[in-house]
Amino acid sequence: MQRVTAWLNEKNPGLDSPIGVEEDLIEARLIDSMDFLEFIDLLEEISGDSIDLQEVTIDDFRTLARVRERFLSSAVLADAPAG
């Protein structure tokens, strides 16, 4: 998730507080239509999986919590230290 939040902060340099995991990224205009495909590319790169746009909805990209759940749960587990 660190790469996702870093990307969002890069695209929105005027942010003055951290992005909450339940904050609506679209309503808050943190992701706009111009950046959406780049955001999908980033998620594909991080997860190692392609995202079929026929199988997702806009709600899958609405919050950091949903992005993590829908696209990055296996990537997060792969990055976790073995214990």
Side-chain angles (χ1 to χ4, degrees):
M1 288 306 296
Q2 193 171 33
R3 286 182 61 195
V4 173
T5 56
W7 183 88
L8 288 167
N9 282 303
E10 178 184 310
K11 294 293 181 182
N12 300 281
L15 288 177
D16 55 358
S17 62
I19 302 167
V21 295
E22 294 297 335
E23 183 170 356
D24 191 318
L25 303 174
I26 297 164
E27 285 292 319
R29 299 179 189 233
L30 298 175
I31 300 174
D32 64 21
S33 59
M34 301 298 289
D35 294 325
F36 194 71
L37 290 178
E38 186 178 337
F39 186 62
I40 290 172
D41 286 342
L42 174 69
L43 296 176
E44 288 178 334
E45 181 182 323
I46 294 169
S47 69
D49 293 322
S50 63
I51 296 172
D52 184 348
L53 296 179
Q54 301 292 325
E55 296 179 12
V56 295
T57 69
I58 195 67
D59 290 333
D60 291 325
F61 303 94
R62 198 164 287 282
T63 66
L64 289 176
R66 182 65 179 144
V67 166
R68 178 177 47 221
E69 175 187 317
R70 181 71 169 89
F71 305 108
L72 302 179
S73 58
S74 61
V76 170
L77 293 175
D79 289 341

